[in-house]
Amino acid sequence: MADDELLAPVRTREAVRAAKQGRDDEARGLLRKALLADPSYEPAWLWLAWLVVDDGHRKYCLEQAVEANPESQAHARLRRLRKVTSAPPPEVEDFADPPPPPEPTPERSVWRRHALRAGIAAVAVAVVAALVVLAVRVTADEPAPVHVAVVAGLSGPGAERGQAVLRGTRFHVDQINGNGGVAGHPVRLLVHDDEDDPEAARRVAEEIVDDGRAALVVGHTVSRTAIAAGPVYAAAGIAAITPTATADAITEDNRWFFRTTFTNRYQGAFVAGYLNSVEKARTASVIHTDTDYGRTLADGFRQAFAGVGRVRHTVSIGDAAEPGLGARIDKAVATVARDGSAGPVVLAMHEDAAERTLTALRDKGVRGTVVGGDALSNDSFVAKLRDSPQEKKKAGSLTGDLYLSSPLMADSLSGEALRWADSFRDVNGSLPSWQAMAAQTSIDVAVEALKRSGVSTDNPGRQDREAVRRSLEAMNGPERGVKCLHGLMYFDASRSLPQPVTMGVVRGGKVASAPIQLMPSDTAKDLDAATEIAADRSVRVAGQVLVRQQIVTTGFNFNEVSALDTEAETFEADFFLWFRYRGSDDATAVDFVNAAGSDVTLGPAVRSSERDGVKYRLYRVSGTFKASLDFHHFPFDRQYLTIALQNRKHSASHVVYVGDRKVLEQDQAEALRSGSDVNSSIDRLSGWKSTSLDLYKATVGSTAALGDPAVTEETPGIYYGQYVAQVTIERDLGSFLLKNMLPLVLLALVTYASLFFAREKRYIGSRISMGITAILSAAVLLTAVTGSLPDVEYTVAIEWGYYAFIFLAGTCVLAALLSGRLAAQNNLVGWRKLNIAFRIYYPLFCLAIVLAYVMAFG
């Protein structure tokens, strides 16, 4: 920070002391010095507004505070002064923006002698004036913003979770505003920190109500704060959407609260089904905190597991915030550790208590499966475990056999969700956590509710907010849902998002998808659900039949990409491919769906191993693959070379390929290095360069039943999981343009030179022939430039440039004919004006074409 900017806070603090002692004149003088040092220092403007007497001076100061900080508290005070005329107070009058100068009186010009120059100047002035007027109108008529309050625990023990929600919210709102906001109205966020504290949450909720600008609330981020703030919103009639709080009580008795995730009871029931079906557990134990989150998660698990096994112990360690937590943890752990049949242990608690409880369990010799809820499914919790002395001493001593449940996993994204995550990583430096992705979903739902309700004001009334709540409440089924990046979003009877739980494991210090998941089937099994469950292929969770799904962690490492044939639309690739999975080796039974021939197969594994039931297989693959090329933007085109693999035996209900998180998180420079030579790039394409490598899962389906009796009218078709590696390549434009456009540039210069020929009759024919020659030469050059392209039924970008030049050369022929006629009539003035006009028109036309290409493809 510059020295002058450092003076602003110092002078403002001195002014505050002077004001509190009644020395107002001295305080105003100090504030003047502060604002001279830093005119954008918001606190100085707020204090000056408090000290001035005149309302016009006060309004000016508050306006400057809002300009310095668009989320300033000055908004509320400005509304009371909306009828007052703003004027700078004497303290800042000399460095405030001066009034505009009076319009100068135009002098009479001698335009008759310089008609052409004056005309050009007039046009230029008119264009500039029109742009200025347009800019003023756009600024003046900017639609009023729609405000959404965002509440998260931005400080305190859960700060990482709250900051993740805020990052996801801000990033997605920026994208929404870039696409037009809410019916043209920008979305503005009112950010609040509830410190993950119930009392602070109530105060924040009251501040939001008193402020009056928020049309709805996105937050809070933990159950106890959402429960505390809920009655305040209900009493004021403001709808709230929590992206991450899962306690059932949040929405049970509050019709103003919604959530874009599952409930604790459903999560607990899912964990019970997972342990019974996947881990074959017949006994289990629960250790939970005495909070809404801990109790409901534990109850959901205990009630569901009682139907398939026996819950040996359900032990509370009380409220983690109360003294004596360590002793209570030791007592609970001792109870579980003494029982050799305690089974897997479920930790229904937040991070700090979970870290201490897990450490105590491992210290007592409990080495079996431990499962944590969504509150623990984040990299910050895993990082604490990784950095603990016990884990450093022996890797896996804490994180081994640790499962964590969450709504989403970054390694299993596809389509638009993956592109969003990649953009998020480019801005924030890492893939989004599930909390950031859940916040994105909440914002999508909030924006859609605002659109459907028609609310587009920065000062919504009770009826406006009621309309927002009704819009949210109406999203009660698939047909009324919202298409979000992660799929169709709608609310169930508990005003929660009905979505399956994703189980994660700790791998490489990060949370990744577990090798086996339970997911809804892509074909109807209602008629034989009992048979499927009895055969251990499915499990019933909260009334829903879920099938066992094999998650195969997949990685690509390219050695080279070469031999792009634009006419045949094929390319050659050589790459390493690996799989990590648990269970059947059918996971490696894959076909490359876009292989150009049947000879592209996995072949024998280069390397294979198995550890703790997890299998690893490494293959080296090379061959020719088909590419779908698009030349609309040739030569500024960007092509996508993809390699897609698909399991040939099982549908997506049973086998899904997801990305290796270490590969997903590497930067593009590393991803584009050759796997066989780290010092070289994968590029072996003449005239092209690779710019990015994207890896994502996809799903492809057939609407035909193919004779499968399991396919019904409700679920027509069978869907297969794919995994796609996509290399993006761009042309080396520098060499391409130099080689292919230089002849056209020289031709344009020669044609332009013909406009400077003398007016003698013998030159008229030369000008006409040069224009015609330019037209024919451009046609020949265009054929040569586009000769490497396959037969396409559309006009490529470069053709428009050649067509524009052909048109320009045609106008030069017309100019030559007209100038010849004027010369024959001995009209020297007309001949001169015509030629000067074309000498100006020609380069301006060329410049316009160049600018158009720069704007379209730059």
Side-chain angles (χ1 to χ4, degrees), residues 517-811:
Q517 300 287 342
L518 297 179
M519 300 295 289
S521 173
D522 60 2
T523 55
K525 298 290 184 182
D526 291 339
L527 296 177
D528 59 349
T531 302
E532 290 294 307
I533 293 172
D536 199 27
R537 291 189 292 267
S538 299
V539 61
R540 189 179 298 276
V541 174
Q544 184 181 22
V545 176
L546 305 177
V547 299
R548 290 164 58 91
Q549 185 183 71
Q550 189 177 21
I551 302 298
V552 184
T553 301
T554 311
F556 277 85
N557 194 336
F558 280 83
N559 299 315
E560 64 177 49
V561 177
S562 60
L564 176 65
D565 188 333
T566 55
E567 293 192 16
E569 296 195 30
T570 61
F571 68 97
E572 294 181 4
D574 177 29
F575 55 91
F576 288 109
L577 171 67
W578 66 88
F579 304 103
R580 271 199 320 270
Y581 58 95
R582 185 189 298 270
S584 170
D585 289 331
D586 286 349
T588 62
V590 299
D591 290 327
F592 295 95
V593 296
N594 66 321
S598 58
D599 57 331
V600 183
T601 60
L602 285 182
V606 176
R607 190 184 308 160
S608 62
S609 65
E610 182 172 349
R611 182 179 179 183
D612 297 330
V614 177
K615 302 175 183 179
Y616 168 75
R617 302 289 185 269
L618 174 68
Y619 302 87
R620 183 164 185 172
V621 182
S622 62
T624 303
F625 299 86
K626 299 174 185 177
S628 180
L629 306 180
D630 183 354
F631 298 102
H632 278 88
H633 296 161
F634 174 84
F636 310 99
D637 49 323
R638 177 181 295 158
Q639 303 296 348
Y640 303 95
L641 309 181
T642 62
I643 296 174
L645 61 87
Q646 175 181 310
N647 194 284
R648 73 173 73 100
K649 293 185 177 181
H650 300 291
S651 70
S653 289
H654 297 280
V655 179
V656 168
Y657 297 90
V658 303
D660 188 319
R661 185 159 177 179
K662 282 189 175 180
V663 176
L664 294 176
E665 292 188 334
Q666 65 186 0
D667 58 42
Q668 289 297 335
E670 184 179 357
L672 295 173
R673 291 195 189 104
S674 173
S676 56
D677 182 5
V678 295
N679 296 316
S680 65
S681 167
I682 67 173
D683 283 331
R684 298 293 187 274
L685 299 171
S686 177
W688 296 84
K689 57 182 179 181
S690 302
T691 58
S692 66
L693 170 63
D694 296 301
L695 305 169
Y696 57 92
K697 74 179 184 71
T699 302
V700 61
S702 167
T703 56
L706 304 178
D708 188 344
V711 180
T712 69
E713 294 182 358
E714 288 77 17
T715 55
I718 301 175
Y719 296 85
Y720 289 89
Q722 292 186 344
Y723 196 72
V724 180
Q726 177 177 279
V727 179
T728 303
I729 60 173
E730 298 178 3
R731 292 183 188 272
D732 185 355
L733 272 180
S735 60
F736 180 91
L737 294 178
L738 181 64
K739 177 181 178 181
N740 294 282
M741 299 303 292
L742 184 59
L744 183 65
V745 173
L746 295 175
L747 189 61
L749 292 175
V750 171
T751 307
Y752 183 60
S754 70
L755 297 176
F756 292 86
F757 285 3
R759 65 184 178 91
E760 282 78 3
K761 185 176 181 180
R762 65 179 182 272
Y763 291 115
I764 301 300
S766 299
R767 290 177 61 180
I768 294 174
S769 62
M770 289 182 70
I772 294 174
T773 301
I775 293 172
L776 296 175
S777 299
V780 173
L781 288 172
L782 177 59
T783 302
V785 170
T786 58
S788 62
L789 299 181
D791 292 332
V792 293
E793 299 178 354
Y794 48 80
T795 301
V796 301
I798 200 169
E799 288 184 277
W800 294 110
Y802 275 91
Y803 294 155
F805 176 75
I806 291 171
F807 171 80
L808 181 61
T811 60

Side-chain angles (χ1 to χ4, degrees), residues 194-216:
D194 66 7
E195 306 171 19
D196 281 350
D197 177 70
E199 194 60 40
R202 277 189 290 271
R203 289 197 303 270
V204 165
E206 291 166 356
E207 290 173 8
I208 293 171
V209 171
D210 293 341
D211 181 273
R213 288 180 290 165
L216 78 166

Side-chain angles (χ1 to χ4, degrees), residues 164-197:
V165 168
L166 182 58
R167 283 193 296 271
T169 301
R170 279 180 165 160
F171 180 76
H172 200 45
V173 165
D174 287 343
Q175 292 188 325
I176 289 172
N177 286 335
N179 292 322
V182 178
H185 296 263
V187 179
R188 295 286 182 261
L189 300 179
L190 306 173
V191 179
H192 298 268
D193 178 13
D194 66 7
E195 306 171 19
D196 281 350
D197 177 70

Side-chain angles (χ1 to χ4, degrees), residues 185 305 378 411 446 833 855:
H185 296 263
F305 197 83
N378 57 74
D411 60 6
K833 288 183 177 180
M855 292 178 64

Side-chain angles (χ1 to χ4, degrees), residues 300-311:
F301 174 83
R302 181 172 48 80
Q303 292 171 11
F305 197 83
V308 294
R310 179 184 175 190
V311 179

